[in-house]
Amino acid sequence: MRHVLPVLTVVAVIVAIWYAAAVWLNAQWALDMAKRQDREMSASELVLDTWSQEKPKLPAPHQVATELWKTTVEKKVTSKRSLVYHAWVTLSATLLGFALGTALGFALAVGIVYMRVMDMSVMPWVIASQTIPILAIAPMIIVVLNAVGVSGLLPKAMISMYLSFFPVVVGMVKGLRAPSRMMLDQMRTWNATKGQEFLRLRLPSSMPYLFASLKIAMAASLVGAIVGELPTGAVAGLGARLLAGSYYGQTIQIWSALFMAAAVAAFMVALIGLIQRVTLKRMGMS
Amino acid sequence: MTAEEPEIAHRTVIEASNLNLTFETNDGPVHALRDVNLQVGKGDFVSFIGPSGCGKTTFLRVMADLEQPTSGTVLVNGVSPEEARKARAYGYVFQAAGLYPWRTIGGNIRLPLEIMGYDRPVQAKRVKEVLELVDLAGFEKKYPWQLSGGMQQRASIARALAFDADILLMDEPFGALDEIVRDHLNEQLLALWARTQKTICFVTHSIPEAVYLSTKIVVMSPRPGRITDVIESPLPQERPLEIRDTPEFLEIAHRVREGLRAGHAYD
Ligand SMILES: Nc1ncnc2c1ncn2[C@@H]1O[C@H](COP(=O)(O)OP(=O)(O)O)[C@@H](O)[C@H]1O
Ligand SMILES: [Mg+2]
């Protein structure tokens, strides 16, 4: 409760700056219009106009809020015009890609920790894979997969996977290596098998690292799914909404799609945070 | 046949002959152990004492198959350290308690038992027994962070006692604890040793601790790490803490101190 006031203050400041910026950015267009129609505009008229244009450079907060309200609450979720529907399309690809990426990252991390050869050879490739701009290879992945008859959810999920396996590899390699030499020696004195060492020591030790990685992976996954929707001119999904919005100059639509994406990401990351708290608490680690 | 009988009665549990170990480091070779010869009999309480860097830990780790000697041999129960380790012949207590933070005290003690495949009822019984042995009954459900340092170290000793190893290797287990706690734990350790009849190898750098606990004191010195004196203690099995003020005790302590000083005369 103590935090409510500071948070509200910050929000209020941001909203105020946003409104001011909307005036500043949209004023030119309003003035041009007035000039063409050869009419005078008072200052207050000008301000009101900048906050209610149909295709503003920067939509005002209430315009975005209204659009969000209309496209989420007032539309049936099955409707093509419902933002909830589009968010779900993107989220399903995100979740599939996240699951695949986590599995891949986990498997690579285990290999790197247990096999010297992989330790030496895999990591450079993993890092190199992330230096390639995703925007450059996303279309290729989509096109190649389409050519072999894979379309819809999977190509998008592949791009999500491509982005999300990376934090999981990095985090899990660190996590699985977290046990001290002493603890590993201890396992050796008990003549524990590799499997026992993994399940009873390395895996539990890696949990805090795993959750930190999963949060980043989830956000990266969402970005991947949205990027995956751009090059195909996909008909559904938040990426499609962004693309369509930019074709037709529908800035309000773009901004509401962006906010929806942010909300989805925030929700998923918070969900992982919750699972993290419960898990670590049950493990006695927090 | 009859001539061998006393041999069997006082069986050699650990035997090191001409043991050498050199670590290759970036600053050149470090001769951690040189020409180490030692016999430890069944039921002995052997302390290893010497300044830091004299190879006490390394020697213990060689016995435990955590380090490989460069030359020479060590036999544990008549077999190589590796075979002894695989037969789970010893429990090892490290300098830090090394309890798993995500397991309760009971869960920590159960860990080696799970790994070694003890039945669940046996596990539960052993956990109870050893917790009583180290005076921690009632702490089974607590997490390590809820215990003091001394209690954590006792729990880690309990963990090393829980399975059927008749050798206990302890590397400065009480090094990080204050004097009073240490005295108390030393007393308990002696009682525990008397009750369990285990062979104990105990690393320390405290002279009173070594003299108070041991039947045999191995004095070591550094660069290269070697044994400079082995002292058989004439002190009785029954040792109240006050024994530390008797002339016998002080005499052994004096001999240990002399041994340590002689080791230093080299450099
Ligand atoms: N893994 C290692 N690699 C290189 N040098 C080591 C290693 N372990 C110990 N040493 C060196 O061997 C010597 C003996 O170390 P140690 O057995 O730990 O001594 P102590 O336990 O008596 O203090 C020291 O000089 C130490 O620096
Ligand atoms: Mg040491």
Side-chain angles (χ1 to χ4, degrees):
Chain A
M1 270 297 129
R2 275 180 303 123
H3 302 301
V4 170
L5 199 63
V7 168
L8 281 183
T9 312
V10 171
V11 170
V13 169
I14 291 174
V15 169
I17 293 174
W18 187 351
Y19 271 111
V23 173
W24 182 53
L25 286 167
N26 303 334
Q28 194 58 51
W29 195 80
L31 289 174
D32 288 349
M33 283 302 282
K35 203 171 186 182
R36 213 175 303 165
Q37 293 164 2
D38 212 21
R39 69 183 159 87
E40 287 292 309
M41 233 177 171
S42 71
S44 63
E45 275 174 341
L46 175 65
V47 167
L48 284 180
D49 185 271
T50 59
W51 291 346
S52 58
Q53 292 169 6
E54 205 180 313
K55 295 180 174 183
K57 287 209 178 69
L58 178 66
H62 69 266
Q63 290 180 291
V64 177
T66 313
E67 169 80 5
L68 273 172
W69 178 264
K70 274 198 286 193
T71 51
T72 53
V73 181
E74 291 183 357
K75 294 272 186 313
K76 273 214 298 239
V77 292
T78 48
S79 154
K80 288 255 158 41
R81 291 173 168 273
S82 162
L83 205 52
V84 177
Y85 163 78
H86 290 286
W88 169 246
V89 169
T90 303
L91 183 62
S92 54
T94 302
L95 291 178
L96 180 60
F98 173 77
L100 292 173
T102 302
L104 176 65
F106 190 86
L108 284 175
V110 171
I112 287 171
V113 169
Y114 277 98
M115 283 148 65
R116 244 191 101 66
V117 192
M118 278 187 76
D119 187 18
M120 315 277 275
S121 59
V122 174
M123 216 42 177
W125 289 103
V126 169
I127 292 166
S129 76
Q130 301 301 304
T131 62
I132 302 167
I134 187 66
L135 275 173
I137 56 162
M140 291 194 290
I141 294 177
I142 304 270
V143 168
V144 168
L145 285 178
N146 269 332
V148 297
V150 181
S151 60
L153 197 63
L154 203 56
K156 290 194 280 178
M158 296 303 277
I159 294 166
S160 284
M161 178 182 86
Y162 187 91
L163 289 184
S164 62
F165 87 97
F166 181 68
V168 178
V169 180
V170 174
M172 284 308 283
V173 165
K174 196 154 168 49
L176 292 175
R177 285 189 175 145
S180 63
R181 166 150 173 231
M182 189 192 89
M183 285 193 148
L184 292 167
D185 280 345
Q186 206 172 48
M187 275 284 177
R188 201 171 135 84
T189 66
W190 299 325
N191 196 23
T193 63
K194 288 264 181 242
Q196 288 169 331
E197 179 197 281
F198 181 77
L199 286 177
R200 290 189 161 77
L201 177 56
R202 288 194 191 265
L203 194 61
S205 303
S206 72
M207 280 304 134
Y209 298 84
L210 174 66
F211 283 109
S213 298
L214 289 185
K215 286 181 193 170
I216 305 170
M218 180 59 85
S221 240
L222 185 69
V223 171
I226 290 174
V227 168
E229 287 164 350
L230 295 179
T232 48
V235 284
L238 293 175
R241 291 287 280 188
L242 288 175
L243 199 66
S246 69
Y247 274 158
Y248 304 112
Q250 299 283 3
T251 44
I252 301 179
Q253 182 183 324
I254 295 177
W255 278 84
S256 45
L258 284 178
F259 270 86
M260 195 63 184
V264 169
F267 175 77
M268 293 314 296
V269 170
L271 191 64
I272 295 174
L274 187 71
I275 297 171
Q276 170 182 27
R277 272 224 298 288
V278 173
T279 311
L280 294 189
K281 199 172 179 86
R282 283 192 55 183
M283 285 173 72
M285 281 174 92
S286 63
Chain B
M1 198 60 207
T2 38
E4 271 177 43
E5 253 173 355
E7 268 287 317
I8 295 162
H10 194 80
R11 193 159 59 87
T12 302
V13 173
I14 294 164
E15 184 169 18
S17 10
N18 300 320
L19 192 68
N20 278 278
L21 195 151
T22 309
F23 289 109
E24 297 301 335
T25 68
N26 292 336
D27 308 330
V30 175
H31 213 155
L33 293 173
R34 192 178 76 182
D35 296 333
V36 169
N37 288 287
L38 185 72
Q39 295 201 346
V40 176
K42 183 163 170 45
D44 270 350
F45 195 125
V46 184
S47 283
F48 296 85
I49 189 165
S52 75
C54 70
K56 306 182 294 294
T57 297
T58 305
F59 190 21
L60 223 57
R61 288 175 63 85
V62 170
M63 293 180 202
D65 188 36
L66 296 174
E67 218 75 76
Q68 301 308 316
T70 315
S71 69
T73 54
V74 177
L75 292 180
V76 179
N77 285 337
V79 297
S80 72
E82 188 186 357
E83 284 170 277
R85 176 175 67 80
K86 290 191 169 151
R88 282 132 178 180
Y90 58 83
Y92 198 115
V93 180
F94 291 83
Q95 205 160 351
L99 299 172
Y100 291 23
W102 56 88
R103 281 178 171 250
T104 58
I105 296 304
N108 267 287
I109 295 171
R110 216 177 304 115
L111 179 63
L113 301 176
E114 287 171 10
I115 287 172
M116 296 175 189
Y118 284 75
D119 293 336
R120 273 181 179 277
V122 180
Q123 287 178 15
K125 187 166 145 281
R126 291 291 175 95
V127 170
K128 243 191 163 47
E129 279 172 10
V130 292
L131 277 176
E132 249 154 49
L133 216 51
V134 298
D135 216 4
L136 279 180
F139 288 90
E140 188 175 343
K141 299 254 156 58
K142 293 268 187 289
Y143 280 95
W145 56 268
Q146 294 171 299
L147 271 60
S148 70
M151 290 161 101
Q152 289 187 22
Q153 201 50 270
R154 260 149 54 198
S156 98
I157 293 170
R159 182 173 52 181
L161 292 171
F163 49 95
D164 299 309
D166 50 12
I167 304 171
L168 198 54
L169 305 175
M170 307 175 87
D171 189 358
E172 299 194 39
F174 309 139
L177 306 176
D178 66 63
E179 198 99 15
I180 296 163
V181 176
R182 205 170 167 145
D183 278 353
H184 182 58
L185 291 182
N186 281 340
E187 244 184 322
Q188 282 190 325
L189 183 58
L190 271 189
L192 200 148
W193 170 64
R195 248 154 89 193
T196 56
Q197 304 278 306
K198 295 201 192 240
T199 308
I200 299 183
C201 293
F202 185 94
V203 170
T204 178
H205 51 228
S206 151
I207 296 174
E209 190 172 66
V211 178
Y212 176 68
L213 291 172
S214 324
T215 58
K216 192 198 276 255
I217 303 160
V218 177
V219 183
M220 297 179 72
S221 82
R223 284 175 298 270
R226 64 201 183 281
I227 295 178
T228 49
D229 198 5
V230 178
I231 302 164
E232 302 283 344
S233 171
L235 296 180
Q237 273 244 255
E238 195 65 35
R239 298 178 186 181
L241 278 173
E242 298 75 53
I243 204 170
R244 296 181 299 182
D245 299 322
T246 64
E248 292 84 4
F249 186 97
L250 295 174
E251 199 191 307
I252 308 167
H254 178 74
R255 194 174 150 194
V256 174
R257 194 169 294 112
E258 288 298 303
L260 289 173
R261 200 171 295 153
H264 265 288
Y266 278 77
D267 31 43

